[in-house]
Amino acid sequence: MNARAQASAAAPPGRDAERSPDRNLPKSPTGIAGLDEITFGGLPRGRPTLVCGAAGCGKTLLAMEFLVRGVTQFDEPGVYVTFEESEEELAQNVRSLGFDVEALVQQGRLAFDYVHIDRREIEETGEYDLEGLFVRLALAIDSVGAKRVVLDTIESLFSGFSNMALLRSELRRLFRWLKDRNLTVVITGERGDGTLTRQGLEEYVSDCVILLDHRVDAQISTRRLRVVKYRGTVHGTNEYPFLIDAQGISVLPITSLGLDHRVSNERVSTGIGRLDNMLGGGGFYRGSSILVSGTAGSGKTTISAHFADATCRRGERCLYLAFEESPDQIIRNMRSVGIDLQAHVDAGRLRLEAARPSLHGVEMHLAQIHRLVSEFRPSAIVIDPISNLGNTVDASAMLLRLIDFLKTHGITAMFVNLTASGGALEATEVGVSSLIDTWLVLRDIEAGGERNRGLYVIKSRGMHHSNQIREFVITSRGIDLLEVYAGPEGVLTGSLRASQEAREKAAAVAREQEQQRRQRELATRRAVLQAQIDALQQEASTLDEEIGVQTRQYTLATDTIEQDRRAAVQRRSKESE
């Protein structure tokens, strides 16, 4: 299995396909990315499928890829019967898709038969008009043991018939002949005037009808595919954009996506530490969708580059799609703010793709993104800006499908939106804000003759987030979010903030000096009071000493008098004897 087949096999099936009830209907997978999903398994096995459309819509390429994928991926040999181009011409035409049909022919797994039709050689004589074709088909089928057959185009085969009854009879006989041999057949047909084919009969006898359309709107071309009918099975009935490039055809089964994608609780950094803190300390949820909107020059691309840089630094892959600047210009500009994207490109972790929005229609851009995601397998994607896709209904529908697709694959997506000057900041022209999980708005703050930058979070589902407007500056080291500074009249930025900070600093110094002066005064008063207290204490101590002396003198006098009294008493006692 080649890389493209592996990518197709790895892609998750459509949700409608998982609920499809017709599991028993035999089907042949086409190997064409997306087509098997909208047909819930492929084309009807053993039955004819009509692929119709106007010239240049891709009928022959789809039929050829059906055969080549059958041989290379599903081991089902095939036969290609052409009524317009020779084998050499077909081989040359499909070589641009990477199909080496000559090698498959040499291996005996693919056979070509060029049937030249000349109107003069056709006679409407009865039921055996196509007998020669049946013989040639049988020989080609037996030569390779074919399981798949392509008839390109059926108009050439029936161009000589004017009898509609005979044409219908022969057409039914051809389809019955193919069914009886259990061949899975693709028949191409040119679109008629008011009918799917020129004869208007093939669509009625075919079991499956696929309509290809190549339309041009506002000078931009878009290819679309629709399964008009599919007998015996349900199928996707919407129009699906498809892409033809160097790897073949890719169909986008976008409308089958549902709202049952899984979510992650893991956080991934924004690449700006203080912005992570504004989002609850962890950054974005993995697999979420982020919108960064603001006016020109507000720093949207720089924030996106920080996110891409953080993704690559984690060892993950990031796909960066630019609609305004070339990859070299983005790398140069981001180098001036200290973000080296070139190192990540060289390491294979970052892929920068740039294209003008007018290069394709919005559906083709969606197809390209599907292809790039399938090839590169990123864990994060940046689209800068989505506003360049226009504000049409198609652009809104495309972004809705893209967001669903990325969520289904668990890819963290950052969308940049340019807000027109004077427009509402909290709105997007493409109308996808309601689908976004986290919405960051960058705004210009004009005051004091200056323009400064501010950032705030409008919403961030499932997490606590800041409600503050944070000023940020873009430095040589990237974005630096400043601390919130609110003055008497609101948030101050730039020179007004610096002036207010200087005034407050001066006021703080004055308060400090006044405090020191008051402290010195109080210290002096305290020293005076302390001296007075010391003097009083000294005086009190002196008084205490005097009181002690007086007390001792009083006690001594009292003791002396008492002794004299006792002595006198004793003398009188002796005299009386």
Side-chain angles (χ1 to χ4, degrees):
M1 183 180 291
N2 60 25
R4 185 173 182 273
Q6 292 173 350
S8 176
R15 304 300 190 262
D16 293 337
E18 295 173 359
R19 296 190 291 267
S20 177
D22 48 304
R23 293 296 187 183
N24 296 325
L25 182 69
K27 295 185 179 182
S28 293
T30 65
I32 298 174
L35 182 57
D36 290 337
E37 184 175 345
I38 63 177
T39 55
F40 300 152
L43 304 183
R45 185 180 298 277
R47 300 184 183 185
T49 295
L50 173 65
V51 178
C52 55
C57 64
K59 302 183 297 296
T60 297
L61 294 180
L62 187 147
M64 180 62 75
E65 185 163 356
F66 167 72
L67 277 190
V68 173
R69 301 291 179 196
V71 172
T72 57
Q73 296 181 19
F74 308 108
D75 195 25
E76 293 187 358
V79 170
Y80 198 107
V81 179
T82 173
F83 303 103
E84 292 183 342
E85 298 177 280
S86 66
E87 176 183 344
E88 293 77 13
E89 292 171 335
L90 281 172
Q92 181 65 32
N93 293 342
V94 300
R95 190 172 292 120
S96 62
L97 304 180
F99 299 154
D100 188 359
V101 294
E102 292 99 333
L104 298 178
V105 171
Q106 292 176 0
Q107 296 170 11
R109 305 172 70 191
L110 185 63
F112 282 88
D113 191 3
Y114 174 44
V115 180
H116 177 69
I117 301 295
D118 191 330
R119 175 69 179 85
R120 296 168 297 179
E121 299 175 358
I122 300 177
E123 296 182 3
E124 301 178 25
T125 58
E127 60 180 343
Y128 299 104
D129 288 335
L130 295 181
E131 194 63 32
L133 175 64
F134 295 160
V135 172
R136 295 184 65 164
L137 267 175
L139 289 174
I141 291 168
D142 293 340
S143 67
V144 295
K147 301 294 184 181
R148 303 186 179 200
V149 174
V150 169
L151 301 179
D152 182 25
T153 65
I154 200 166
E155 281 79 14
S156 300
L157 179 62
F158 293 109
S159 61
F161 287 92
S162 60
N163 187 328
M164 295 300 295
L166 179 59
L167 185 144
R168 182 184 294 271
S169 174
E170 289 300 292
L171 191 63
R172 289 186 180 277
R173 193 159 74 94
L174 172 62
F175 281 28
R176 175 48 56 191
W177 188 91
L178 296 169
K179 283 185 176 182
D180 290 344
R181 284 155 181 77
N182 196 31
L183 297 169
T184 305
V185 184
V186 169
I187 300 171
T188 66
E190 293 289 339
R191 192 166 187 177
D193 185 12
T195 58
L196 294 179
T197 58
R198 290 181 182 176
Q199 281 77 28
L201 300 175
E202 298 91 329
E203 59 261 37
Y204 297 106
V205 295
S206 300
D207 290 87
C208 179
V209 177
I210 297 176
L211 175 64
L212 305 185
D213 179 39
H214 187 193
R215 66 189 66 171
V216 178
D217 185 17
Q219 301 180 355
I220 298 176
S221 66
T222 303
R223 300 179 190 271
R224 305 203 182 192
L225 176 150
R226 180 165 65 93
V227 181
V228 178
K229 79 171 185 179
Y230 199 148
R231 288 173 180 162
T233 178
V234 295
H235 58 276
T237 57
N238 296 310
E239 282 191 328
Y240 305 93
F242 71 96
L243 177 68
I244 300 176
D245 61 9
Q247 296 182 348
I249 293 177
S250 295
V251 185
L252 276 67
I254 44 186
T255 53
S256 65
L257 297 174
L259 290 175
D260 54 354
H261 49 266
R262 296 178 180 177
V263 297
S264 172
N265 291 321
E266 181 184 355
R267 297 287 197 95
V268 293
S269 175
T270 65
I272 304 170
R274 289 184 175 176
L275 181 54
D276 289 343
N277 294 336
M278 291 182 68
L279 297 171
F284 309 121
Y285 279 123
R286 182 179 293 278
S288 63
S289 55
I290 304 106
L291 179 64
V292 180
S293 62
T295 55
S298 57
K300 303 181 297 299
T301 298
T302 306
I303 285 182
S304 301
H306 270 288
F307 174 65
D309 177 65
T311 300
C312 296
R313 287 180 181 276
R314 292 193 300 270
E316 302 173 4
R317 292 182 177 181
C318 180
L319 177 63
Y320 197 115
L321 305 178
F323 291 137
E324 286 186 336
E325 301 176 273
S326 68
D328 288 343
Q329 185 175 357
I330 293 174
I331 291 172
R332 182 203 65 187
N333 294 346
M334 292 304 104
R335 189 179 293 119
S336 69
V337 296
I339 302 176
D340 186 6
L341 297 181
Q342 184 63 55
H344 301 314
V345 173
D346 296 340
R349 292 188 293 269
L350 177 64
R351 182 167 178 175
L352 285 165
E353 295 285 340
R356 289 294 183 190
S358 58
L359 180 63
H360 305 293
V362 291
E363 299 290 7
M364 287 301 97
H365 282 295
L366 180 58
Q368 289 280 18
I369 294 172
H370 274 240
R371 173 64 54 81
L372 290 171
V373 168
S374 177
E375 291 176 358
F376 191 57
R377 300 288 182 177
S379 62
I381 184 172
V382 175
I383 301 180
D384 180 16
I386 59 173
S387 47
N388 279 22
L389 297 173
N391 58 354
T392 63
V393 174
D394 287 342
S396 298
M398 174 266 196
L399 289 171
L400 167 62
R401 297 163 181 172
L402 176 59
I403 291 172
D404 281 342
F405 169 74
L406 296 175
K407 282 181 175 289
T408 300
H409 287 74
I411 298 173
T412 309
M414 177 173 285
F415 302 94
V416 175
N417 181 71
L418 174 64
T419 303
S421 179
L425 291 176
E426 298 179 1
T428 59
E429 294 181 353
V430 290
V432 296
S433 57
S434 62
L435 308 174
I436 296 298
D437 298 310
T438 299
W439 189 358
L440 308 179
V441 172
L442 311 184
R443 57 175 295 185
D444 292 323
I445 303 174
E446 298 185 9
E450 290 183 340
R451 290 183 60 197
N452 297 290
R453 298 180 175 94
L455 178 151
Y456 60 97
V457 183
I458 288 186
K459 68 175 181 178
S460 192
R461 291 170 177 163
M463 66 178 71
H464 295 289
H465 55 275
S466 172
N467 64 347
Q468 297 175 326
I469 298 177
R470 300 287 295 273
E471 181 186 3
F472 70 93
V473 294
I474 301 178
T475 70
S476 59
R477 299 181 304 278
I479 286 180
D480 182 20
L481 266 71
L482 306 180
E483 294 296 336
V484 176
Y485 192 91
E489 298 179 356
V491 176
L492 299 180
T493 61
S495 60
L496 292 180
R497 172 177 181 153
S499 299
Q500 182 65 21
E501 286 178 339
R503 287 193 295 270
E504 292 192 0
K505 183 176 181 181
V509 170
R511 288 194 301 271
E512 178 67 21
Q513 292 174 345
E514 178 65 16
Q515 177 68 13
Q516 292 177 358
R517 185 187 64 80
R518 292 287 303 275
Q519 287 181 350
R520 288 195 298 271
E521 289 181 354
L522 292 175
T524 300
R525 290 181 60 186
R526 187 180 187 284
V528 171
L529 290 175
Q530 186 65 45
Q532 293 176 350
I533 292 172
D534 291 342
L536 291 174
Q537 287 179 344
Q538 182 64 34
E539 183 178 357
S541 177
T542 301
L543 292 175
D544 289 341
E545 291 179 359
E546 290 180 359
I547 293 172
V549 171
Q550 291 180 357
T551 301
R552 288 194 296 274
Q553 289 177 351
Y554 173 77
T555 302
L556 179 61
T558 302
D559 291 343
T560 301
I561 293 173
E562 182 63 26
Q563 290 176 358
D564 291 343
R565 187 184 65 79
R566 290 178 181 174
V569 171
Q570 290 178 355
R571 284 194 303 269
R572 284 195 297 271
S573 299
K574 289 181 179 182
E575 289 176 356
S576 62
E577 293 177 355

